[in-house]
Amino acid sequence: MGQAIEPASGVRRRTVLAAAGALALGAAGLTRAGEAAAATASSRVVYNLNPDWRFVKQDVANAQAPSFDDSAWAAVSVPHTFNDVDSFDNYITSSGESAVAMQPVWYRKRFTLPAAHAGQKVLLEFEGVRQAATVYVNGTQVGLYEYGVTPFGFDITGQVLFGAENVIAVKADNTKWRPEQSTGTAFQWDTRDFNPTYGGLTRNVRMYVLPRTYFTLPLYTNLRTVGTYVYPSVVNVSGATATVNVEAQVRNEQSAARTVTVSANVVQADGQVRATITGSPVTLAAGQTQIVKLSQRISGLRFWEPGRPYLYTVEVVLSEGGPVDGTVVDAYPIVTGFRKAEFKGGTSGGGVYINDKHVFLTGYAVRATNEWAAIGGAVPEWMTHLDGEMIRDSNANLIRWMHIAATPANIRMTDRYGIVSVQPAGDKESDATGRQWEQRVELMRDVLIYFRNSPSILFWEAGNNWITAEHMRQMTDLRRTWDPNGGRAMGCRAISDDSAYGGTAAVDAAEYVGTMLNRHYSAYARDRKPIIECEYTRDEAPRRVWDNYSPPDFGYVTGPDVTYHLTSEDFAGPHAAATRYEFWGQRIQGPGDRRYSGAAALIWADSNQHGRQYNWECARLSGRVDAVRIPKESLHTFRVMQSPTPDLHIIGHWTYPAGTAKTVYVMASSHVRRVQLLANGTQVGNDTSATQDFLYSFAGVGWQSGTITAVGYDAAGQEIVRASKTTTGAATALRLTPHTAPGGLRADGSDIAFFDVEAVDAQGRRMPTHQARVDFTLSGPAAFLGGFNPGKPGSVHKPYLDTEAGVNRVFIRASRTPGTITLRATAPGLTAATASVTSVSFAVTAGLTTQPPATY
């Protein structure tokens, strides 16, 4: 966890509360990132405003008035969406699910600020809303946000009361194609096909109480502030040394000039102060805002990279007076990582280099909503981290977020799990002109400012499709203005030297080039820039349909409007190997034509976006996992294909009807040169010739009850890996397994627990072909949200669902009352199952708490 050393002279060794990636509270309260609290006491207090709102799903006149009676409205906590009940609920069309509610709604929250805060600065931050929010405090409109993507904030100092009750009222509006109020221009990315609709306050809300001389927030729209920028320079990887630079924006809103000193504590993950950087005193005139710059050469650093995502907390401290005898007035921590990144073109030395090492980037394209069935887009942060765990464990190191910027929670996840991110701002699938292009530039500016301390972001995406050379120059200039030193590149998907895709000038203006389905590759771009394949393997298949030989489906029989007809076996085996090989076999510094620096498979999780299973499924079925994050066979085969060590996976199961004979597929990593297939210890196949480097096929294997084993051998004939699957008996019972956030389920009104329900045989093994209805009853202080069957419209938020391949998952939401919650599952002919979780109290006083939301 890093070597403990004495900090710089004059700084006492201490342990910082909540080191990088952890959650804790100190005197300063919850931070902007939601991950750490400042160890240095100051006047800054950050309140978590997520609990205890009132909500109504309609537009109500005069709802902003403090005296408005909202007692009949629903009691909810944030994150919250009203589209959890109507998404994943109907068949997908070419524009996504069309029946979701898109309308104005209202939220109201009451709170009392302590009288002791009187005279201080008060700011609100929302981590995002879809699509617009008009915010009122005590009946006065404090601002409007319409971009629908980024975090945003408002100054409410002049509207709040101290020692008396306040009311925040928010009119949130996800109406389809809601135009910008001032210009009447629609936002290009406000579309449900590439940006699934989840209306409401779907992300964290917090309130900052700050001294009148303070560090600003990285929220440009409305507040016009840029926060603190932290970055390394002159990185010596082998010497574990770099110059750490801090550019902190400080504002003096007092009536007289103030002399201040900015310092920064660089804190290791074990809580020890690696170094303290102290600047010289600066005098700020009344009303002045200034960026104060610090830098210091620091040795003994650990660098962030995929596989070893080391994070530091840089705690910035603002003191009035000099560096020795000054009085601390403001302090807050920034969770970040230090690394070196280089982006090179060429067939031999080209590619992406992180910390002086060439890294082939491999992973997934992910819808930035990253939604779950049954809970929609209002996902507790600890569940977002489950994505990170699974993506990392599948040996992926890349996510290309699609069309709109990933949420702060998702980027905190990629920072923590060492997953390189391609972060867009907002677009659809074309360039734009006029006001729509200006909106894209403004949104990219906000994204750059907010996320530029996140080490996992290596790429900013200026467009999901090609843009003109002039527009690309604007975007690269924007990066040079707001993120000049972060080790990141600006580019977009589909630019090429072909004039139909921007031409050579667009390629020259970009800092990396993206392609889609290998359609936009060009040697001109390859020789000059790294090329990232942004989305491939679009073939779609559901988790429940194993193959052509497994009951109850015996193949994927589809409707007339369906484009793809693949079983899970097809999707995870022949198609996965063929589509991945196209980029793996042509990777930079690899075999073949050495084209690509990275590739992202579409998509990570089955989504509520547009799809090509028209009028047939309630989700687009391209994921490595399904819409509730149960692994599909494709997750295992991608794990193998991306593995840096020997690995293999037998695709499918080994519980078939008598007389079955079929091709058995085994996916093996590139280390394997021969796969032997054994049935109950006897060889039934031996394949020395992989298809597309990874896939081994064994035709006509007759099923026999027992165990099938695949054994992988290296080029020298030595066994290096093996895996087995075993026949199960008939299902005899149900089994429930609960899952909660670390520390348990919180009674905060928004936290989620989920239960895996399995049909198991007499030995407790999941029966892989069980598909039947299970009914659920819930007792205790929680709401049952149910689960999801993609082939059945109307399956969400019901007290029943079917198992699929022997398993499914249901969700509950905690209420504000702590206590024991018990779920019971029943199905005809199976022994019932019962499981319990206990929610823990979540204290809120006068509408306020400094206790953070649940995370990892």
Side-chain angles (χ1 to χ4, degrees), residues 388-449:
E389 287 185 348
M390 297 175 74
I391 290 168
R392 177 201 61 194
D393 292 347
S394 74
N395 299 310
N397 60 15
L398 173 68
I399 292 179
R400 182 249 173 168
W401 302 101
M402 303 176 69
H403 293 281
I404 62 169
T407 66
N410 278 316
I411 295 299
R412 290 193 285 267
M413 174 268 286
T414 57
D415 286 346
R416 175 174 178 157
Y417 291 100
I419 304 167
V420 169
S421 283
V422 180
Q423 175 76 316
D427 71 358
K428 196 170 185 291
E429 282 201 323
S430 64
D431 205 348
T433 58
R435 179 58 192 152
Q436 279 201 328
W437 174 251
E438 293 172 352
Q439 291 169 340
R440 282 175 57 170
V441 171
E442 291 162 2
L443 184 59
M444 179 60 79
R445 173 205 61 206
D446 288 3
V447 168
L448 290 168
I449 290 170

Side-chain angles (χ1 to χ4, degrees), residues 398 400 422 459-467 472 489-497 501 506-507 510-522 525-526 529-535 583 595-600:
L398 173 68
R400 182 249 173 168
V422 180
F459 304 94
W460 304 112
E461 185 178 275
N464 188 70
N465 213 325
W466 71 275
I467 59 178
M472 181 55 74
M490 179 71 74
C492 72
R493 196 196 77 175
I495 55 174
S496 168
D497 55 291
Y501 298 100
V507 173
E511 296 169 324
Y512 77 93
V513 169
T515 67
M516 181 190 70
L517 298 172
N518 201 18
R519 293 174 181 169
H520 313 103
Y521 168 82
S522 75
R526 175 205 64 196
K529 318 284 178 179
I531 297 181
I532 306 294
E533 168 55 42
C534 293
E535 50 187 275
F583 306 104
R595 300 181 179 186
Y596 285 93
S597 299

Side-chain angles (χ1 to χ4, degrees), residues 49 51-56 60 62-71 73-76 105-111 136 138-139 165-171 201:
L49 295 189
D52 302 337
W53 293 74
R54 291 286 181 168
F55 166 75
V56 67
V60 179
N62 205 37
Q64 74 274 18
S67 60
F68 183 88
D69 182 7
D70 58 18
S71 59
W73 293 11
V76 303
V105 300
W106 280 89
Y107 293 84
R108 286 169 52 91
K109 180 177 174 64
R110 300 176 186 273
F111 65 94
Y136 302 84
N138 295 329
E165 186 177 77
N166 297 272
V167 178
I168 298 173
V170 180
K171 181 179 180 180
L201 298 182

Side-chain angles (χ1 to χ4, degrees), residues 693-752:
D693 277 358
F694 300 110
L695 187 68
Y696 293 82
S697 304
F698 304 88
V701 176
W703 175 79
Q704 52 184 288
S705 181
T707 300
I708 189 166
T709 301
V711 184
Y713 298 86
D714 64 15
Q718 299 297 310
E719 178 183 334
I720 54 174
V721 63
R722 68 167 54 203
S724 298
K725 292 193 172 180
T726 302
T727 304
T728 66
T732 61
L734 295 175
R735 179 169 62 207
L736 286 173
T737 305
H739 302 268
T740 67
L745 180 67
R746 299 184 180 203
D748 62 2
S750 63
D751 198 11
I752 298 288

Side-chain angles (χ1 to χ4, degrees), residues 660-823:
T660 298
K662 68 179 295 288
T663 298
V664 174
Y665 294 106
V666 175
M667 195 74 82
S669 64
S670 59
H671 313 81
V672 174
R673 295 293 183 270
R674 175 170 71 94
V675 174
Q676 180 186 33
L677 194 67
L678 309 173
N680 295 327
T682 300
Q683 179 174 304
V684 293
N686 185 57
D687 191 351
T688 59
S689 179
T691 302
Q692 282 95 24
D693 277 358
F694 300 110
L695 187 68
Y696 293 82
S697 304
F698 304 88
V701 176
W703 175 79
Q704 52 184 288
S705 181
T707 300
I708 189 166
T709 301
V711 184
Y713 298 86
D714 64 15
Q718 299 297 310
E719 178 183 334
I720 54 174
V721 63
R722 68 167 54 203
S724 298
K725 292 193 172 180
T726 302
T727 304
T728 66
T732 61
L734 295 175
R735 179 169 62 207
L736 286 173
T737 305
H739 302 268
T740 67
L745 180 67
R746 299 184 180 203
D748 62 2
S750 63
D751 198 11
I752 298 288
F754 61 84
F755 295 76
D756 290 338
V757 56
E758 299 172 276
V760 298
D761 69 4
Q763 297 183 50
R765 300 172 299 189
R766 183 192 302 173
M767 206 288 180
T769 58
H770 187 273
Q771 186 167 306
R773 173 168 162 159
V774 178
D775 288 271
F776 300 90
T777 55
L778 183 74
S779 62
F784 184 72
L785 307 181
F788 174 60
N789 289 122
K792 292 189 174 182
S795 64
V796 297
H797 286 243
K798 296 293 191 297
Y800 53 85
L801 85 165
D802 293 350
T803 57
E804 296 184 355
V807 63
N808 215 321
R809 180 168 284 172
V810 294
F811 301 83
I812 66 168
R813 177 177 290 121
S815 72
R816 290 291 285 119
T817 302
T820 299
I821 302 156
T822 301
L823 183 68

Side-chain angles (χ1 to χ4, degrees), residues 90-106:
N90 205 343
Y91 288 142
I92 294 295
T93 68
S94 61
S95 297
E97 188 173 351
S98 59
V100 295
M102 291 174 279
Q103 63 183 79
V105 300
W106 280 89

Side-chain angles (χ1 to χ4, degrees), residues 32 44 121 123 208 210-211 213-220 223-229 247-253 288-291 316 318 330 332 334 449 452:
R32 181 189 64 82
R44 175 178 292 235
K121 190 77 179 172
L123 304 177
Y208 299 81
L210 305 172
T213 305
Y214 62 97
F215 291 116
T216 67
L217 305 183
L219 301 174
Y220 193 85
L223 291 179
R224 291 296 189 265
T225 55
V226 300
T228 299
Y229 184 31
E247 299 182 5
Q249 189 181 55
V250 180
R251 176 168 289 177
N252 176 23
E253 294 196 16
Q288 183 179 358
T289 302
Q290 180 173 325
I291 293 178
V316 290
L318 179 66
D330 194 13
Y332 82 99
I334 298 160
I449 290 170
R452 60 186 177 171

